[in-house]
Amino acid sequence: QVQPVESGGGLVQAGDSLRLACAASGRTFSINTMAWFRQAPGKEREFVAIWNAGNTYYAASVKGRFTISRDNAKNTMYLQMNSLKPEDTAVYYCAARVDTIYNVGDYVKEYMYHYWGQGTQVTVSS
């Protein structure tokens, strides 16, 4: 079993930066894929970014502003969020999958991920 735990959320102003962390415990050596999703109030959860066996991919809405990275020694994944906008306000979730996802179209599908964190709130004020 793997248990992801998110941290780093908070209240910031538009244009500010924030770094989220996802610390994974358990059988972390088996995890090849980790991703961030988010859910804004009244909306469905959506894909944000993925670290997939060393490759990264971003949703169009965050590309160029967000950077995903992973520190294998610490079993931790990060999401550096720059130039934050009010529309980035959401609960951010960490998701993990044991094996690699080979189809880019599958990155955004929630059922592809085996483990989920509880989420961390990010609020961006205008």
Side-chain angles (χ1 to χ4, degrees):
Q1 287 289 334
V2 174
Q3 180 58 55
V5 179
E6 305 93 340
S7 63
L11 172 63
V12 296
Q13 294 185 334
D16 285 351
S17 297
L18 205 59
R19 189 176 79 157
L20 304 183
C22 173
S25 61
R27 296 173 59 88
T28 56
F29 61 87
S30 63
I31 297 299
N32 281 331
T33 300
M34 298 183 77
W36 290 98
F37 283 73
R38 68 185 181 185
Q39 187 168 20
K43 296 186 177 180
E44 294 186 353
R45 189 155 54 183
E46 65 175 3
F47 168 84
V48 175
I50 189 172
W51 186 96
N52 186 39
N55 299 308
T56 59
Y57 182 84
Y58 300 90
S61 60
V62 306
K63 191 174 184 180
R65 299 188 298 122
F66 291 11
T67 302
I68 191 172
S69 61
R70 178 173 172 176
D71 185 332
N72 290 326
K74 295 182 178 180
N75 296 323
T76 301
M77 175 180 65
Y78 302 96
L79 185 68
Q80 177 67 43
M81 305 185 294
N82 299 328
S83 302
L84 283 162
K85 305 175 182 180
E87 50 264 43
D88 294 318
T89 295
V91 177
Y92 283 72
Y93 296 91
C94 173
R97 175 183 169 89
V98 172
D99 47 349
T100 303
I101 300 176
Y102 293 99
N103 186 346
V104 174
D106 288 338
Y107 290 172
V108 303
K109 299 175 181 177
E110 294 184 31
Y111 65 78
M112 296 296 291
Y113 300 88
H114 302 127
Y115 308 103
W116 290 84
Q118 294 300 308
T120 185
Q121 177 71 47
V122 172
T123 303
V124 184
S125 64
S126 59

